[in-house]
């Protein structure tokens, strides 16, 4: 079933340090036997887990959280060396993974309790059962956190998982799965495979696979979702975003700037929920630009392992080249370069935080996701214009609204066509909060009770002592 690997796919997985450009390690693609073994072991584990109550897995998930914390520094360095994020941000990612693991270890058994139903058909309830092996396809921007969002809930449910990570973050994939193994989770809980795209399709087609969760771009999502659809496998898609950060006319600009500066530069701007479009009320627009520009000038590029560095390199030469191309195209199509976009004299993949204004709907930049520190700033003259502009997007992932009036902010938030909106604060990601979007940002949610239920069999069981032949409305016979 699994075809021989094509020559160009061999050794596609590479760790390249984006600060030094050094190729640190290459990894061979998965073999036919590795794929088959992982499906076999996953199937056995699925059947084994079905016999055990959910709560029995909670202790091991806490052990995984403990081990993540114990090995935080080593794990964080792997991230920083492989995809360039600041070491402090890498440590934060490891801690967030531990938080997610603890949360699902503590709450899953209760959240997966059967739900009783009131019906004249009999004693009815919906039980939540595992479904089988899942494939997760993950991106490079948060190499551990993206895995944990799928792993923790599905481990508790009892769905074994196969991981296909980004070809640019194989070392992170190996480091994460090593933690799972070292913590003592059974083999097959999470199997990392360096799959080619063709092999991803073949794995999805396998009858032992029951679902696929992808986080990535629209292009990757569309391709994997098509295969999932073809083989009738349930899927969830966490894709890109072009999030709006709305600054209403009564907002406190000091607070706005503190959040805005981070919202576009955290993780070198490579975040699906980065605020990519700043939509600013006319009365605050000039001052907003001035102050945002000032904060952007203070970033210090350097080695992301150095605590003093505040501007990290982008994840790869490819990511930087794409962003430069997009910025140049935006300017060629009439955008005004307010600040930035000048070369940084370091060998790594650095991109200077950049501010663009005067982007019109006919500019390609208007609808595109720019995956790096480029702030598009728009001027609006009313609340309604701000909402309309926020909604004039092919994406619908997150968003932020700033106003001194929290209630007004909540009303505006309700009118924004996205999956998540935060008023007067950062865009948080926490295990108790659902994460996901609408439109081309994908479908389904990860984390929270909603994410926990993404891949369960909601099984209805109705029981009576004997049939009631007098009460047949709705009976299918
Ligand atoms: P990507 O190119 O779509 O890659 C994501 C994953 O999908 C990688 O493992 C990639 O493998 C795989 N993939 C891509 N095309 C595939 C195909 N045709 N068949 C099988 N697998 C395929 O995305 P990216 O550039 O790494 O990540 C950045 C994107 O992710 C941005 O758009 C960002 O907004 C989005 N994102 C979304 C969320 C969210 O929660 N909504 C979170 C983070 C990032 P290879 O590396 O082998 O190509």
């Amino acid at each position: 079933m699994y075809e021989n690997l094509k020559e160009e796919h061999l050794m596609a997985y590479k760790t390249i340090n984006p600060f030094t450009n050094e190729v640190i390690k290459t990894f061979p693609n998965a073999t036919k036997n590795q794929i088959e073994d992982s499906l076999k072991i996953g199937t056995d584990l699925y059947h084994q887990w079905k016999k055990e109550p959910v709560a029995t897995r909670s202790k091991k998930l806490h052990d995984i959280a403990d081990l993540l914390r114990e090995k935080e520094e080593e794990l964080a360095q792997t991230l920083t060396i492989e995809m360039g994020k600041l070491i402090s941000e890498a440590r934060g990612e490891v801690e967030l993974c531990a938080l997610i693991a603890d949360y699902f270890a503590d709450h899953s058994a209760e959240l997966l309790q059967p739900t009783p139903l009131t019906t004249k058909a009999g004693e009815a309830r919906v039980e939540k059962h595992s479904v089988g092996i899942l494939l997760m396809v993950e991106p490079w921007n948060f190499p551990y956190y993206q895995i944990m969002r799928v792993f923790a809930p599905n481990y508790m449910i009892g769905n074994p998982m196969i991981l296909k990570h980004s070809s640019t973050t194989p070392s992170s994939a190996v480091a994460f799965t090593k933690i799972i193994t070292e913590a003592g989770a059974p083999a097959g809980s999470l199997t990392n495979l360096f799959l080619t795209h063709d092999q991803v399709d073949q794995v999805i087609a396998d009858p032992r696979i029951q679902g696929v969760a992808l986080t990535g771009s629209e292009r990757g999502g569309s391709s994997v979702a098509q295969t999932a659809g073809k083989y009738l496998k349930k899927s969830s898609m966490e894709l890109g975003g072009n999030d709006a950060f709305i600054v209403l006319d009564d907002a406190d600009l000091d607070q706005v700037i503190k959040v805005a500066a981070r919202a576009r530069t955290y993780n070198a701007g490579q975040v699906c929920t980065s605020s990519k479009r700043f939509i600013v009320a006319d009365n605050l627009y000039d001052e907003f630009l001035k102050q945002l520009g000032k904060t952007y000038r203070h970033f210090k590029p350097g080695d992301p392992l150095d605590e003093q560095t505040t501007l990290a390199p982008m994840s790869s030469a490819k990511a930087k080249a794409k962003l430069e191309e997009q910025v140049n195209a935006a300017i060629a199509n009439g955008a005004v370069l307010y600040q930035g976009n000048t070369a940084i004299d370091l060998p790594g993949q650095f991109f200077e935080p950049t501010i663009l204004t005067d982007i019109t709907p006919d500019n390609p930049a208007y609808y595109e996701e720019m995956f790096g520190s480029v702030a598009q700033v728009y001027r609006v003259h009313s609340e309604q214009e701000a909402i309309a502009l926020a909604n004039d997007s092919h994406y619908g992932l997150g968003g932020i609204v700033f106003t001194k009036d929290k209630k007004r902010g909540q009303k505006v938030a309700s009118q924004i066509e996205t999956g998540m909106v935060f008023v007067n604060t950062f865009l948080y990601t926490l295990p108790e909060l659902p994460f996901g979007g609408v439109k081309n940002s994908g479908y389904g949610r990860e984390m929270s009770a909603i994410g926990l239920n993404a891949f369960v069999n909601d099984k209805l069981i109705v029981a009576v002592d004997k049939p009631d032949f007098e009460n047949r409305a709705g009976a299918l016979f």
Side-chain angles (χ1 to χ4, degrees):
M1 177 174 184
Y2 303 102
E3 291 143 26
N4 289 331
L5 296 173
K6 290 181 192 149
E7 195 58 38
E8 72 266 26
H9 284 150
L10 291 168
M11 311 290 271
Y13 285 81
K14 277 193 188 85
T15 293
I16 303 175
N17 182 336
F19 175 62
T20 61
N21 301 320
E22 179 196 355
V23 178
I24 297 189
K25 196 166 176 190
T26 55
F27 298 78
N29 285 335
T31 62
K32 188 177 153 181
N33 287 344
Q34 285 171 334
I35 296 173
E36 182 51 31
D37 287 351
S38 68
L39 288 164
K40 269 203 191 111
I41 204 165
T43 305
D44 291 346
L45 184 61
Y46 165 61
H47 291 298
Q48 157 78 27
W49 273 348
K50 273 204 294 187
K51 297 182 209 141
E52 300 167 1
V54 164
T56 54
R57 285 185 286 282
S58 153
K59 158 101 180 44
K60 200 59 70 193
L61 196 49
H62 278 307
D63 291 347
I64 290 168
D66 292 346
L67 199 56
L68 283 165
R69 292 193 175 101
E70 197 186 301
K71 304 226 164 159
E72 180 179 291
E73 196 54 33
E74 183 188 329
L75 287 163
Q77 290 201 10
T78 301
L79 284 187
T80 296
I81 290 167
E82 183 159 68
M83 54 70 66
K85 69 174 65 192
L86 297 177
I87 187 69
S88 57
E89 294 180 355
R91 289 183 196 121
E93 181 172 341
V94 178
E95 173 53 27
L96 177 58
C97 289
L99 265 180
I100 296 171
D102 280 338
Y103 175 85
F104 284 100
D106 285 337
H107 298 286
S108 297
E110 192 193 330
L111 291 169
L112 293 169
Q113 282 297 307
T115 314
L117 299 177
T118 306
T119 168
K120 62 182 186 164
E123 190 183 312
R125 60 189 201 159
V126 173
E127 294 181 355
K128 297 189 178 286
H129 292 278
S130 55
V131 289
I133 312 173
L134 307 179
L135 172 68
M136 65 167 99
V137 181
E138 301 299 344
W140 45 262
N141 61 342
F142 290 94
Y144 300 148
Y145 156 75
Q146 299 294 353
I147 305 175
M148 188 55 98
R149 289 200 324 200
V150 180
F151 176 77
N154 286 292
Y155 177 80
M156 290 304 292
I157 291 163
N159 292 326
M161 286 154 273
I162 292 176
L163 164 67
K164 181 262 178 274
H165 216 317
S166 165
S167 49
T168 60
T169 46
S171 296
S172 304
V174 169
F176 191 96
T177 39
K178 199 162 159 241
I179 291 287
I180 305 297
T181 309
E182 280 180 20
S189 304
L190 179 72
T191 309
N192 174 51
L193 291 176
F194 294 128
L195 300 173
T196 65
H197 292 185
D198 288 349
Q199 287 175 322
V200 165
D201 289 343
Q202 288 160 9
V203 169
I204 294 171
D206 192 288
R208 289 165 288 187
I209 290 285
Q210 292 304 315
V212 50
L214 176 139
T215 296
S217 63
E218 269 174 285
R219 185 187 36 78
S222 167
S223 169
V224 168
Q226 272 185 57
T227 309
K230 182 173 172 192
Y231 294 100
L232 300 175
K233 304 297 166 76
K234 191 173 183 188
S235 63
S236 70
M237 293 289 143
E238 298 282 350
L239 310 179
N242 206 1
D243 287 4
F245 184 125
I246 297 180
V247 183
L248 293 175
D249 53 11
D250 63 345
D252 177 334
L253 212 49
D254 284 347
Q255 288 173 12
V256 166
I257 293 298
K258 278 186 196 133
V259 178
R262 290 274 293 157
R264 195 62 194 104
T265 52
Y266 177 69
N267 212 38
Q270 305 162 115
V271 185
C272 51
T273 50
S274 259
S275 297
K276 289 161 193 155
R277 298 178 296 148
F278 293 90
I279 298 174
V280 186
D282 183 40
N283 61 320
L284 299 174
Y285 180 88
D286 292 333
E287 191 56 25
F288 174 87
L289 265 181
K290 209 168 108 189
Q291 290 194 30
L292 190 70
K294 200 167 139 199
T295 65
Y296 275 15
R297 283 192 292 275
H298 286 133
F299 282 99
K300 184 172 170 283
D303 185 347
L305 286 170
D306 180 345
E307 310 279 350
Q308 303 308 312
T309 300
T310 54
L311 181 70
M314 292 188 67
S315 63
S316 67
K318 190 173 150 208
K320 181 186 165 187
K322 181 170 178 202
L323 187 64
E324 280 177 341
E325 207 177 285
Q326 286 178 306
V327 169
N328 293 335
I331 295 167
N333 281 278
V336 173
L337 175 68
Y338 178 80
Q339 182 180 310
N341 197 31
T342 54
I344 289 176
D345 190 18
L346 281 172
Q349 304 306 322
F350 289 93
F351 185 88
E352 187 189 10
T354 293
I355 301 175
L356 296 176
T357 64
D358 298 85
I359 295 169
T360 48
D362 57 347
N363 193 319
Y366 187 84
Y367 287 115
E368 275 175 7
E369 179 187 39
M370 288 192 179
F371 217 51
S373 292
V374 180
Q376 300 186 0
V377 186
Y378 296 84
R379 185 197 290 269
V380 286
H381 300 88
S382 70
E383 187 179 296
Q384 279 318 309
E385 194 187 341
I387 294 166
L389 180 51
N391 289 340
D392 189 12
S393 171
H394 302 319
Y395 294 102
L397 192 55
I400 290 177
V401 180
F402 260 88
T403 163
K404 284 205 182 99
D405 179 349
K406 189 171 84 182
K407 286 224 161 358
R408 181 185 179 199
Q410 285 167 318
K411 275 194 199 145
V412 169
S414 296
Q415 296 171 73
I416 300 176
E417 296 163 353
T418 65
M420 307 166 272
V421 186
F422 289 73
V423 177
N424 294 332
T425 186
F426 308 95
L427 203 140
Y428 280 94
T429 176
L430 288 166
E432 62 274 21
L433 304 177
F435 196 106
V438 294
K439 301 186 187 173
N440 289 6
S441 293
Y443 50 84
R445 294 291 183 272
E446 290 183 350
M447 306 230 278
S448 79
I450 306 176
L452 181 67
N453 281 282
F455 295 100
V456 297
N457 174 7
D458 286 295
K459 189 194 289 176
L460 171 67
I461 298 183
V462 179
V464 291
D465 292 322
K466 56 182 183 189
D468 177 0
F469 292 101
E470 303 306 315
N471 183 13
R472 283 174 51 187
L476 291 178
F477 78 101

